[in-house]
Amino acid sequence: MILEEITMEDFKEHLKICRTIIFPFGTIEEHGSHLPLYTDTLIAWEVLKQAVQKRPVFLAPAVPYGVCTTTGRHPGTIGITPTSLRAITLDLIKDAYGKGLRNFLLVSGHGGGIHMHALKEVAETLIDELDDIRMAVLSPYDVLWKEFSALCETSNDSHAGELETSLVMALRPGLVKGISPEEYPQFPRPFIVRDKMKYWPNGVWGNPAKATTEKGQKAFTLAVERMVELIDEVEKMEKLHLWQQALERQK
Ligand SMILES: [Zn+2]
């Protein structure tokens, strides 16, 4: 159920059997000189679009901007603050709750720490406020890190490296423009440096040359399967909650 394609009637009808909605989150962020700026949005969207073919829960349009700190000064990155991300996420979930939705999966194609933290803060606030909702906040890189690491030859693979390049090769081969050089930035932790480009000129973390379409297809399939499992888990949690309520009413 791709939200932007259905009608008001479709929404009303489908709500009778499903109260789960997924909100994808992406970024406009440099991904080396070889991947498109919307890589994070693209990967999240394609995985979720495939997952909702198997489990017809509601899929909202992706929020296309995110919080990008380490790449914030690189050309092409256009980000928002954690305050803005928290505000829009809170608004979207509250409005969806008002329309009858109760299970919220926030799935981010961007795994940045402050970005994920902002989403988790909203989830923490809402589960305290609304006692009949279920919420999950995740990025495929968190929930599949073991599987993805096993798939990659690069041991320290991250941003625009082997995995992300493989995924874009599988999903939109026409958008991969050559291959950026291998790069492993060394930031002088614990300092927070202003000029991050000095330490990370090419904006790549890992070795994109190791990417293949086949690895991308495998990673894509794994991510879709994991999303389907999560949908099943949240629906099961809701059913248990409803049964518990019914039992309490009988007492
Ligand atoms: Zn990315």
Side-chain angles (χ1 to χ4, degrees), residues 86-193:
R86 280 195 299 269
I88 188 163
T89 307
L90 197 68
D91 283 355
L92 291 171
I93 296 173
K94 280 194 169 176
D95 208 14
Y97 179 86
K99 302 301 183 319
L101 292 153
R102 292 294 178 269
N103 310 316
F104 304 92
L105 304 180
L106 314 187
V107 180
S108 177
H110 176 58
I114 297 179
H115 174 91
M116 293 305 291
H117 201 270
L119 297 177
K120 284 174 192 166
E121 267 184 58
V122 172
E124 291 286 352
T125 305
L126 286 169
I127 54 160
D128 277 345
E129 234 175 77
L130 308 164
D131 57 11
D132 57 345
I133 64 167
R134 283 142 296 277
M135 295 210 67
V137 179
L138 63 134
S139 114
Y141 309 108
D142 302 333
V143 291
L144 283 164
W145 71 270
K146 261 192 205 157
E147 291 84 346
F148 284 166
S149 307
L151 206 61
C152 287
E153 291 171 61
T154 324
S155 58
N156 187 14
D157 183 72
S158 179
H159 184 76
E162 184 178 347
L163 180 67
E164 275 192 316
T165 306
S166 297
L167 278 160
V168 182
M169 281 166 101
L171 296 168
R172 290 282 190 290
L175 293 180
V176 182
K177 313 268 170 61
I179 286 296
S180 306
E182 187 176 12
E183 192 179 21
Y184 302 93
Q186 296 282 334
F187 292 103
R189 299 192 197 286
F191 295 98
I192 306 294
V193 289

Side-chain angles (χ1 to χ4, degrees), residues 207-223:
N207 187 5
K210 296 281 182 194
T212 65
T213 307
E214 201 200 342
K215 285 177 195 165
Q217 276 158 353
K218 280 189 187 158
F220 179 73
T221 306
L222 282 168

Side-chain angles (χ1 to χ4, degrees), residues 27 29 31 39-40 109-110 141 159-160 164:
T27 55
E29 182 187 33
H31 275 74
T39 291
D40 294 342
H110 176 58
Y141 309 108
H159 184 76
E164 275 192 316

